[in-house]
Amino acid sequence: MTMELDVFVGNTTIMDEEVYQLWLDGYTVNDAVKVRMDGGVMEECEASADVLLSDTMDQYRTFQMCERLLHSPSKLGNQLLFQIPPHQQAMLIERYYTFDDAFVREVLGKKLSKGTKKDLDDIGAKTGVTLKSCRRQFDNFKRVFKVVEELKGPLVENIRHHFLLSDKLARDYAAIVFFANNRFETGKRKLQYLTFQDFAFCAGQLISNWTVGAVDNMVEDMDVDLDKEFLQELKELKVLITDKDLLDQHKSLVCTALRGKTKAFNEMETNFKNLSRGLVNIAAKLTNTKDVRDFFIDLVEKFIEPCRSDRWTAADIRLYLTHYNNSAHILDTFKHQVVWDRYMGVVKSCIFKMYHD
């Protein structure tokens, strides 16, 4: 009896994107097989359960062999063991370094150390992310942090170059590195309403305006360390609240500009001095490491919560801060406009992002 077989021989590594995602998500082989069966792959491919199990195991072995290359993504394109098309290489890398927002929100601002790694069990249970996936994501954060820590040049560009990530993902990693380095407090109950993307936006503002890299683009840690000289200069802003005449003049200018433009005018006028003291005192204390860490909690307690209790809308916040910022330029005896603009530009942007109606 003769049989005719069609045989195709090739050396391109076949990778199923759905199976890859299951592997990344920490599913066991058996659980991955069940998910695939529930998704109707057996009917679609006319395959038996044994064939599906064998295929899944084979795919998992391939991913595990590729994993060491994914730790240094540039090696993936230079190795000869796996023949992987460039577009698929990009997919493997991007997905390997993609993370769950719920997971990163729990570790954001914490030290990327063994102590935090011990908490991954609890974080996994809280977020619904498997322990294996938590470990992969945490190790990725740590790996990126270690590689870019001592590099000169822009943080986002360094991450994109060394890990071959998309611009969006590189910017998210820059935020994670920046928060881990400066240990910003993000876990307090009053900050729980803020998402990772809220913090990532604020990190971008801080990196662009308050770091050493904002004034010198070829120094180590340029986008990671805050500019200490600038933080010292912020103390000069205290004159806005310690000089009574200046404080009264500032209030008068702001209130004149706001009158008739918002229903919250009375509250703005009444609370002007307290709100101004809050914002200026935050600036003046940023020379202390602890106060840098408390930057976001201070913005919430000293400005956002008082405005929220008076039922200001997001439009009210925008109107108030715009005039509050601009009016300082008209004050005759106030000589620190450059430092003021550098400070308030970031504070305004962060508050606009953090103030949810």
Side-chain angles (χ1 to χ4, degrees), residues 128-141:
V129 178
T130 65
L131 181 58
K132 188 178 177 186
S133 184
C134 285
R135 284 178 178 154
R136 171 182 61 82
Q137 294 177 54
F138 184 81
D139 287 344
N140 285 346
F141 299 159

Side-chain angles (χ1 to χ4, degrees), residues 4 14 101 134 199 225 228 234 279 284 293:
E4 286 189 13
I14 306 298
D101 278 9
C134 285
F199 282 120
D225 291 338
K228 289 184 171 56
L234 287 174
L279 291 178
R293 290 179 184 174

Side-chain angles (χ1 to χ4, degrees), residues 74-93:
S74 58
K75 291 180 180 177
L76 196 61
N78 299 324
Q79 53 80 39
L80 300 173
L81 184 60
F82 302 103
Q83 300 301 307
I84 306 170
H87 75 276
Q88 199 159 41
Q89 289 181 31
M91 179 277 294
L92 291 173
I93 295 165

Side-chain angles (χ1 to χ4, degrees), residues 19 89 110 180 197 255 258 338 350:
V19 181
Q89 289 181 31
K110 291 183 179 176
Q197 290 302 330
C255 291
L258 291 172
V338 175
C350 289

Side-chain angles (χ1 to χ4, degrees), residues 15 20 23-24 62-77 79 84 88-97 136 140 143-144 162-165:
M15 293 183 174
Y20 182 53
W23 177 73
L24 289 174
T62 302
F63 301 144
Q64 283 155 6
M65 290 168 72
C66 283
E67 187 163 21
R68 64 183 177 80
L69 298 169
L70 290 165
H71 292 170
S72 302
S74 58
K75 291 180 180 177
L76 196 61
Q79 53 80 39
I84 306 170
Q88 199 159 41
Q89 289 181 31
M91 179 277 294
L92 291 173
I93 295 165
E94 189 79 1
R95 287 206 190 177
Y96 189 78
Y97 283 90
R136 171 182 61 82
N140 285 346
R143 186 179 308 111
V144 172
H162 283 270
F163 292 93
L164 308 181
L165 304 180

Side-chain angles (χ1 to χ4, degrees), residues 29 138 189 317:
V29 170
F138 184 81
R189 187 174 57 81
I317 291 284

